[in-house]
Amino acid sequence: MKTTRASQLLGLSLAGAFALTACGGQSGGTATTGTDGAAAGGALAGSIVTDGSSTVGPLASAAAELFMDANTGVNITVGTSGTGGGFKKFCAGQTAISNASRPIKEEEIALCKAAGIEYQEVIVANDALTVVANKDNSFLTCLTVEELKKLWEPAATGTVMTWDKVKADFPSEPIKLYGPGTDSGTFDYFTDEINGEEGASRTDYSASEDDNVIVQGVTGDKNALGYFGFTYFEENADKLKALEIDGGQGCVAPSSDAARDGSYAPLSRPLFIYVDKKAWTRPEVKAFVTYFVDNDAAIAEAAKYIPLSEEQKTKAKEEITALG
Amino acid sequence: MTTSTVEPTEQPRRLVAAANGDRDLTSLVFLVLLWGCLAFGIFSLAVLLFNTAMEGAGRLDAQLFTNYTSQLRPESAGARAAIFGSLLVMLTTAALSIPLGVAAASYLEEFASRENKFAQLVELNVQNLAAVPAIIYGMLAAGFAVLIGLPRNTVLAGAIALALLILPVIIVSTREALRAVPREIRQGSLALGASPMQTLLRQTLPAAIPGIATGTILALSRAVGEAAPLLLLGGLVFVRFDPNGLLSGFTTMPIQIFDWAGRPQVAFQELAAAASIVLLGLLLAMNALAIIIRNKFSSQR
């Protein structure tokens, strides 16, 4: 009895397995369209898989969309696993391009090396955050990173409520804070650089995913302070005052140039893509990466980032040449 | 009342006592408390629905269904790739999990003896697995995909993660459905000379199908709303083509909503709200289907 039951079960599971493979074959038949398609004629075809930083995500998406508008045969996908998660997949050969908001780390280099993945870093844009205050505010002009930390660290919740708690010679006016919500990449970047831990922030501030709310909040209150991406400040520069930041080298005002040359530290950073040298041999990857650098200004503008400076562009072109 | 104490209808009767009949103070207080809990839940849900509907109403148009996501033109972007992705992943998940789940439940309920150590182990694990956080399944599927050399951000890898996620639910609900089939049906079938396998396939399983379908649809609707395991697998957020097979890259509604909701532009916020309404509609439709099947089944009996 026992053996017959066993064989019957085996039959059942085999039937199940058969049903599965049948199913898989059916829809799998159409799956091969353009996975590694070197086009016969002039039109490019194929798919490019990119993954990595959620900050670079919008930039890569903008580049992909502009590129695909002109090259309809190419499918480009963008994932946002984070810079680290992106490199993990990149070094396993699963992506052609990895988006990064920081240079590759030692252990990631080792990972790629062990897997035999050769790559080239290409700089594509600059990211900067701006700390803003009300135009009528007289005491806020420059803040050090330590003061910003005192203001925004988790321990400040409910305790640092007046400006004299941040710096002794500030008036004892109430602090009103505006910032992006916890879902945003801006929040991650700011908390990482200022509070030393990604996601660690005081919680008693007005959070909004809509930067316009932050702009309105800070314009409406003399003692308010907020932060968001530099490009949004540029659009609202007439309504707000951007604070200078002292990262240890003196006060530096945010500007495209200060972000590009790295002097506006630590709230500015270059953004990179890492290109797999093996994928580079595919014409569609070559065309896309070249397009990315050549049309940098338009792409950066679409994604609200700071485009490359002349120097950076020359560097990016050299990096592309290094790909072969 | 006195003779029918063994019948299962005894239990519910006690609960309705407070509503009609039992009028002492504690019962009434408890009843009010229960109503309060219910009202709180429904009220919160209504506020959430209203908020989302208000925010997303402007973008709940045809473009939401026909256009792909867009970085450059969020005003006319849509969730087409995500809708197709969700549907394909759901179908693949169903194809993977239903045969496996029903087979496992049939074995545990109809064939395995209570003393069988293997069956006991499986049973214990199934019950524990039902309580495991969803993201763990993502890690499991990611590891499995790497092991067999499958790219992680493919429809198949995502479906494997979701199938693992809902497998315990399918097994448990199938077992419940099988248990509800009267013993006499099996005995009658066996007495007429049918083998245990024939009994299962021709009598017990068909009789249990409504229960299995209900449980399975509810499990699938959980899978459709799940983002965490797929994000861990490397869910794509920018896909401008329809998924075209099991090894195709894909995105699903929850991933797309998650990505849009994190963007600073208002247009993306509205898009996220509109897509949430679509996802909600899909889930409600699936749950309604489950209820219809159940009701049809109970009226037939």
Side-chain angles (χ1 to χ4, degrees), chain A residues 76-281:
Chain A
I76 303 173
T77 59
V78 180
T80 50
S81 304
T83 302
F87 276 131
K88 227 178 248 174
K89 283 180 200 158
F90 183 69
C91 293
Q94 298 196 344
T95 54
I97 295 171
S98 204
N99 305 320
S101 56
R102 56 161 172 79
I104 190 166
K105 283 183 186 165
E106 284 299 328
E107 58 261 37
E108 290 158 348
I109 294 175
L111 200 65
C112 270
K113 205 164 189 177
I117 303 280
E118 288 183 61
Y119 58 85
Q120 173 65 47
E121 173 187 290
V122 180
I123 186 168
V124 284
N126 303 280
D127 181 20
L129 298 186
T130 305
V131 181
V132 292
N134 191 283
K135 279 225 143 170
D136 300 331
N137 188 303
S138 52
F139 56 91
L140 287 171
T141 47
C142 177
L143 286 175
T144 65
V145 172
E146 288 75 38
E147 285 159 1
L148 273 176
K149 185 176 182 202
K150 225 182 254 172
L151 189 59
W152 282 99
E153 66 187 347
T157 309
T159 56
V160 181
M161 305 304 281
T162 50
W163 280 106
D164 55 338
K165 294 257 177 67
V166 176
K167 197 176 174 186
D169 58 352
F170 283 171
S172 81
E173 300 279 349
I175 295 174
K176 196 90 178 69
L177 293 174
Y178 293 86
T182 52
D183 284 343
S184 85
T186 311
F187 172 83
D188 289 343
Y189 179 27
F190 186 85
T191 49
D192 188 24
E193 289 298 337
I194 300 298
N195 297 335
E197 191 191 333
E198 200 174 289
S201 170
R202 73 185 292 170
T203 48
D204 53 348
Y205 70 97
S206 307
S208 173
E209 301 297 348
D210 181 357
D211 286 349
N212 289 322
V213 173
I214 303 174
V215 172
Q216 280 162 11
V218 177
T219 41
D221 188 335
K222 214 169 66 130
N223 295 309
L225 177 137
Y227 68 90
F228 46 67
F230 175 71
T231 43
Y232 285 91
F233 165 70
E234 274 190 314
E235 288 173 11
N236 297 286
D238 51 331
K239 296 181 207 149
L240 296 163
K241 177 163 83 171
L243 298 188
E244 295 172 8
I245 302 297
D246 182 356
Q249 311 283 330
C251 293
V252 180
S255 69
S256 297
D257 290 332
R260 284 161 171 162
D261 65 20
S263 59
Y264 181 63
L267 291 182
S268 74
R269 56 181 172 178
L271 303 175
F272 308 101
I273 57 171
Y274 283 74
V275 185
D276 187 334
K277 281 194 173 167
K278 216 181 285 162
W280 176 254
T281 55

Side-chain angles (χ1 to χ4, degrees), chain B residues 2-23:
Chain B
T2 45
T3 49
S4 65
T5 40
V6 281
E7 291 220 340
T9 47
E10 169 72 6
Q11 278 298 325
R13 216 168 269 172
R14 254 186 216 153
L15 273 177
V16 299
N20 41 8
D22 200 354
R23 291 281 175 200

